[in-house]
Amino acid sequence: MKTILYVEDNEFNRKIVRQLLTRTSYRLIEATDGEAGVATALAERPDLIIMDIQLPKMSGLEATRQLAAAPETADVPIIVITSFALAGDEQKAKDAGASAYLAKPYSPRELLGMIRDLAPES
């Protein structure tokens, strides 16, 4: 069973992803701010991380940079999600180490497709 870490401060958004993954074999763990996201990723070693950009304590981009630089998590794919998509955001996310980028509102099917591409179900 593969583990996905979702770093998101909005409970409604976390609930959507929880429901999306209920009929899959993925195990979901959650963190509600950037600092907790980095700590959880280093402790749990997930197979995939979904990272919101707008987070308390540490931005999602900074958390992504730290995880991409850490030997323990450097090879973990990260999907960066933003609700304030601006020109250049996707490039900033990729520069920080993201594997994929998704702007809100997104189709849950689109997110699930990205998850399955980056961390296929076993």
Side-chain angles (χ1 to χ4, degrees):
M1 176 183 299
K2 294 198 175 165
T3 299
I4 296 173
L5 168 61
Y6 186 25
V7 187
E8 166 66 73
D9 60 324
N10 183 296
E11 171 60 26
F12 178 76
N13 292 335
R14 288 197 315 274
K15 184 177 178 183
I16 290 171
V17 170
R18 250 182 251 132
Q19 290 174 342
L20 177 68
L21 297 177
T22 54
R23 291 185 185 90
T24 70
S25 65
Y26 295 109
R27 178 177 80 103
L28 181 66
I29 55 176
E30 301 174 19
T32 57
D33 65 63
E35 287 179 2
V38 170
T40 303
L42 292 170
E44 295 278 338
R45 307 278 179 89
D47 298 287
L48 175 80
I49 299 167
I50 304 169
M51 180 77 68
D52 186 41
I53 285 185
Q54 301 290 334
L55 292 168
K57 297 189 180 178
M58 177 191 300
S59 78
L61 287 179
E62 180 55 32
T64 298
R65 268 191 282 282
Q66 288 188 18
L67 293 170
E72 305 90 339
T73 51
D75 61 344
V76 176
I78 301 173
I79 300 172
V80 168
I81 297 180
T82 183
S83 52
F84 304 106
L86 301 171
D89 275 358
E90 184 169 3
Q91 191 57 51
K92 286 180 193 168
K94 300 271 180 165
D95 291 346
S99 310
Y101 173 88
L102 196 56
K104 293 176 192 169
Y106 57 83
S107 149
R109 262 197 208 123
E110 185 181 6
L111 176 60
L112 187 56
M114 281 184 166
I115 291 169
R116 286 182 166 148
D117 285 346
L118 294 167
E121 285 183 88
S122 13

